[in-house]
Amino acid sequence: MFMILILTSMFILISNILMILSMMISKKSNLDREKCSPFECGFDPKSSARNPFSLHFFLITVIFLIFDVEIALIFPMIKTFKLVNIFIWMKISIFFILILLLGLYHEWNQNMLNWSN
C-alpha cells in the first residue's frame, strides 16, 4: 500500500515538473495582436466582429434542438411496439407525448414560437 502511494506521488511530481518545464520553454504568446484580431479570409474585417447576437434566434435554435432530440427518442419507441407489453408501452408513450405537449404549450404561451416581436 505504501509503495502505491510513493509511485502515485512520483507520477504526480514528474507530470507537474514536465508541465511547468513545457510552459517555460514554449514560445506561445497570449497577447499577440494577430491572434486577437478576427480572421476573414486574410482581409481586414469591414465591421466589428463583436456585433450583438439575436437572442430570439438563439432561443429558436435551442427549441429546434430540443424537438430534434425528442424525435430521436420517439423512433425507438416505434421499433419496440411489438416487443413489449402493449399496456406498458402505451403508458410510457402517452406520458412522453404529454410532456412534449406541455412543453410545446409552455413555449407557445411564452410567445417563443413567434419570429417577430
Side-chain angles (χ1 to χ4, degrees):
M1 183 70 176
F2 187 69
M3 187 68 169
I4 295 174
L5 184 63
I6 291 173
L7 284 174
T8 306
S9 62
M10 283 178 45
F11 288 141
I12 291 173
L13 181 68
I14 291 172
S15 64
N16 284 334
I17 289 172
L18 288 175
M19 283 192 298
I20 291 171
L21 187 64
S22 68
M23 286 179 11
M24 291 171 56
I25 294 175
S26 71
K27 296 180 182 178
K28 186 176 180 181
S29 171
N30 291 334
L31 300 176
D32 189 12
R33 183 172 107 44
E34 291 296 323
K35 287 185 180 179
C36 292
S37 67
F39 180 72
E40 290 184 8
C41 302
F43 298 104
D44 290 329
K46 292 183 179 182
S47 63
S48 174
R50 304 289 184 235
N51 289 337
F53 187 73
S54 172
L55 183 62
H56 195 72
F57 178 76
F58 174 74
L59 291 175
I60 287 182
T61 305
V62 170
I63 291 169
F64 171 76
L65 287 174
I66 289 171
F67 280 108
D68 194 36
V69 169
E70 291 166 354
I71 289 173
L73 292 174
I74 288 176
F75 280 141
M77 289 175 60
I78 296 169
K79 289 291 256 181
T80 61
F81 177 70
K82 293 182 181 180
L83 302 175
V84 295
N85 187 356
I86 187 72
F87 296 113
I88 295 173
W89 187 87
M90 286 296 288
K91 283 182 187 178
I92 292 172
S93 300
I94 289 173
F95 181 70
F96 185 71
I97 292 174
L98 183 68
I99 289 174
L100 294 181
L101 289 174
L102 286 173
L104 180 65
Y105 173 72
H106 177 70
E107 290 166 0
W108 189 5
N109 193 23
Q110 296 292 321
N111 291 328
M112 291 307 302
L113 301 176
N114 295 335
W115 183 255
S116 62
N117 292 335

